[in-house]
């Protein structure tokens, strides 16, 4: 098959298929004596797999998974997939925690030891600079020690978890600041409820995409060589 033959099934350009092959998302193509690429059904299966992985894990991670497979590092590919599931599980847990907070915003939050900006950044997997930017946007309002260092209390950790969730959902900082402020006060949670419902739909869609991607990857692995 030619690049255009693979591309047609997915509405891609032939150049996109060539780019995917060069990036290692597809196995190396054969060549005609004149230098033209020749693809097979195995390449078609690889393309289907890569494109199924994208909505499940993101473009960059999908590429890493395919590169690991083609490098013969199946364990690395599976580890990337496991990390994606772990992240989805954490998102669900955070979403559930925030949803419970919405049901009764007057509940006292569980007592947690105060966190430094570095500790909170490590918890969320972001940089301290990101947390400072959220503070400037009004999303976080940490207390200050006499030395001037920020102290993040239980409520601040909750707000940061919510901001992290919504930020990954594509919400701008101004909207996140509004949502987080609504968590801090009683009532007026329509915006928050809609945001959480939208994110729950996104997580469900991602979970289903992971199932579909797993089926495609299994099919591709067996097309390359049966897995014992």
């Amino acid at each position: 098959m030619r690049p255009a033959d693979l591309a047609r099934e997915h509405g891609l350009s032939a150049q996109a298929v060539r780019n995917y092959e060069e990036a290692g998302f597809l196995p190396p193509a054969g060549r005609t004596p004149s230098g033209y690429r020749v693809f097979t059904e195995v390449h078609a299966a690889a393309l289907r797999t890569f494109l199924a992985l994208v909505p499940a894990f993101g473009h960059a991670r999908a590429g890493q998974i395919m590169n690991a497979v083609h490098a013969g590092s199946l364990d690395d590919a599976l580890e990337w997939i496991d990390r994606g599931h772990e992240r989805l599980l954490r998102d669900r847990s955070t979403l559930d925690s925030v949803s419970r907070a919405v049901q009764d915003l007057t509940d006292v939050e569980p007592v947690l030891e105060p966190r430094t900006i570095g500790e909170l950044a490590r918890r969320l997997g972001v940089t301290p600079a990101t947390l400072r930017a959220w503070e400037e946007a009004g999303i976080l309002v940490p207390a200050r020690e006499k030395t001037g260092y920020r102290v993040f209390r239980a409520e601040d950790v909750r707000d940061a978890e919510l901001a992290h969730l919504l930020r990954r959902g594509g919400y701008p900082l101004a909207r996140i600041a509004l949502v987080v402020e609504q968590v801090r006060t009683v009532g007026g949670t329509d915006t928050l409820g809609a945001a959480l419902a939208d994110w729950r739909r996104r997580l469900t869609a991602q979970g289903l995409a992971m199932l579909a991607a797993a089926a495609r990857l299994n099919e591709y692995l067996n097309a390359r060589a049966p897995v014992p």
Side-chain angles (χ1 to χ4, degrees), residues 21-205:
E21 189 242 349
E22 290 175 359
F25 304 162
L26 310 182
R31 297 278 182 164
T32 66
S34 55
Y36 290 103
R37 290 176 174 86
V38 177
F39 294 102
T40 67
E41 283 297 337
V42 171
H43 294 92
L47 181 58
R48 295 186 194 106
T49 301
F50 170 70
L51 294 177
L53 288 167
V54 170
F57 301 98
H59 190 279
R61 185 59 52 84
Q64 289 173 319
I65 293 170
M66 296 303 289
N67 279 324
V69 168
H70 296 142
S73 303
L74 182 56
D75 285 342
D76 289 341
L78 295 176
E79 182 178 345
W80 286 121
I81 292 171
D82 290 343
R83 289 183 182 181
H85 283 283
E86 182 180 34
R87 178 171 175 174
L88 179 61
L89 183 61
R90 171 157 183 163
D91 283 353
R92 287 188 183 281
S93 177
T94 301
L95 182 57
D96 288 342
S97 297
V98 174
S99 296
R100 287 193 294 270
V102 172
Q103 293 173 10
D104 192 351
L105 295 175
T106 60
D107 278 353
V108 177
E109 292 288 335
V111 177
L112 298 174
E113 291 294 324
R115 303 289 183 108
T116 66
I117 191 169
E119 290 170 339
L120 181 55
R122 286 192 293 273
R123 173 185 173 89
L124 299 178
V126 300
T127 65
T130 295
L131 296 180
R132 287 192 287 269
W134 291 357
E135 182 181 358
E136 292 176 2
I139 296 171
L140 302 178
V141 286
R144 297 272 184 164
E145 295 181 334
K146 292 182 179 179
T147 57
Y149 289 108
R150 297 170 177 81
V151 177
F152 294 87
R153 303 149 299 185
E155 296 82 1
D156 302 315
V157 173
R158 176 205 62 200
D159 294 346
E161 291 276 13
L162 175 57
H164 190 222
L165 180 68
L166 296 176
R167 192 67 176 136
R168 293 227 303 270
Y171 290 93
L173 293 181
R175 185 174 179 185
I176 294 174
L178 175 62
V179 171
V180 171
E181 178 60 28
Q182 290 177 346
V183 174
R184 297 191 189 112
T185 59
V186 178
T189 59
D190 290 345
T191 300
L192 177 60
L196 295 178
D198 179 60
W199 246 95
R200 192 171 295 281
R201 286 191 293 270
R202 289 170 181 255
L203 294 181
T204 298

